Amino acid sequence: MRDWTVAARDALAHGPAALVTVLATEGSAPRGPGTRMLVTAEGLAGTIGGGALEHQAAAQARAILDQAPGSWRVQDWPLGPLLGQCCGGRVRLLVERLAEAPEGHGPWDVTLGEPLVRVAAERRASLTRLPARGALPEAGSRFVEPGEEPMLRVLMFGAGHVGRAIAARAEGLPLHLGWFDARPEAAETPGMSLASEAEMVACAERAAAGSAVVILTHDHALDYRLAAAALRGEAGFVGLIGSATKRARFLSRLAKEGIDAARLTCPIGLAGIAGKAPDVIAIAVLAQLLMLEAEG
């Protein structure tokens, strides 16, 4: 649940809320450290996975709703016979009763500043994460705030039918999407940023190392400029929508310009998923990006 602070504020406007955070895992576990689930008396937002584990964690979270804001407990759960599971791993959970942030504080007061001291992300390099077993942390313990699951950075150029289909289905996936188009008529597309063609080309060339660039604009000439720019940069994956003929023409031109096209994928999308409908292409592209995220 990437926007848990927003969900928590909304929930607290209607009553008490608790947060379950995966602090640490060992062996096979359904979700990783930093995964969060918001719990109210009426429902859940987000998931820590695990079926019986989630059911028990939700029950513990609802029990803490009757406690004072700032109340917390850390629990260890072996994923074995106790929960009717056979994963064999372990999960350490933090269950906390949330409270609104006081005026003038940061975007969210996690309420544990007194009993537990969370360490900001920039200090992670000098500290280790909490273990999944051993002595439980006590009041005053310092620990590194678990981050959310890592996300693959994706730059997508083009807000046509396929681009909109991809963006609509990317919600909730471990992808950090930056989406651009140069056409004024696309300016009102939710989630998309309007940029000039020159700005888009510069953005493609500056793509972060290991990131993915997805190119599917309305203009083959612009597609080529974006592909060439991304290949000159450090993007780990450059995906281009198009046919085998388009690929051959682009490869020939790139070779003449001395640009290494080894990172170019065209046609884009997971092999074996047939169909030219925007929704089908979107699913194939997202599946391919998720494979990159898993490999990374």
Side-chain angles (χ1 to χ4, degrees):
M1 183 172 54
R2 306 198 184 284
D3 273 340
W4 69 270
T5 58
V6 176
R9 286 189 183 280
D10 291 343
L12 285 168
H14 299 91
L19 188 70
V20 179
T21 301
V22 178
L23 289 180
T25 63
E26 181 181 288
S28 178
R31 300 294 300 274
T35 303
R36 294 178 170 93
M37 178 175 69
L38 184 71
V39 181
T40 65
E42 295 78 26
L44 305 174
T47 176
I48 62 169
L53 170 68
E54 182 166 289
H55 178 76
Q56 292 291 336
Q60 294 296 321
R62 290 196 171 102
I64 211 172
L65 292 177
D66 293 330
Q67 304 298 316
S71 300
W72 60 278
R73 61 189 62 157
V74 176
Q75 300 176 336
D76 288 349
W77 292 93
L79 304 179
L82 178 64
L83 293 174
Q85 296 180 327
C86 56
C87 298
R90 295 178 65 88
V91 176
R92 174 163 284 186
L93 301 178
L94 169 64
V95 182
E96 54 186 308
R97 166 72 157 82
L98 295 177
E100 284 282 6
E103 195 68 33
H105 283 225
W108 186 258
D109 179 1
V110 296
T111 76
L112 296 184
E114 293 298 326
L116 291 181
V117 182
R118 300 188 185 219
V119 179
E122 59 266 20
R123 297 191 58 188
R124 288 180 185 171
S126 62
L127 295 170
T128 58
R129 291 185 182 275
L130 285 175
R133 65 173 69 223
L136 295 177
E138 299 177 350
S141 296
R142 296 172 60 84
F143 71 94
V144 179
E145 170 71 3
E148 297 285 359
E149 293 177 353
M151 292 189 289
L152 174 69
R153 298 185 66 85
V154 179
L155 293 176
M156 184 168 72
F157 300 98
H161 295 298
V162 175
R164 292 196 299 271
I166 292 172
R169 288 158 180 79
E171 182 74 23
L173 299 180
L175 305 173
H176 188 282
L177 181 65
W179 184 23
F180 305 91
D181 198 293
R183 295 171 295 168
E185 59 267 29
E188 301 303 319
T189 305
M192 196 278 302
S193 299
L194 191 66
S196 69
E197 292 187 1
E199 289 171 333
M200 289 166 58
V201 170
C203 182
E205 189 163 4
R206 293 196 304 267
S211 63
V213 173
V214 175
I215 303 166
L216 26 81
T217 79
H218 63 292
D219 184 347
H220 281 209
L222 177 57
D223 281 355
Y224 179 82
R225 292 169 59 200
L226 289 166
L231 291 169
R232 285 194 297 266
E234 298 183 350
F237 172 86
V238 181
L240 171 68
I241 195 169
S243 63
T245 300
K246 180 177 180 179
R247 170 185 170 83
R249 290 176 177 173
F250 275 36
L251 289 178
S252 176
R253 187 173 173 186
L254 290 167
K256 290 178 181 178
E257 295 185 20
I259 299 174
D260 183 2
R263 287 169 291 151
L264 181 67
T265 296
C266 178
I268 195 173
L270 195 65
I273 300 180
K276 297 182 179 180
D279 290 345
V280 174
I281 297 173
I283 291 171
V285 171
L286 288 169
Q288 189 172 50
L289 293 173
L290 290 175
M291 290 185 67
L292 295 174
E293 196 275 338
E295 292 169 359

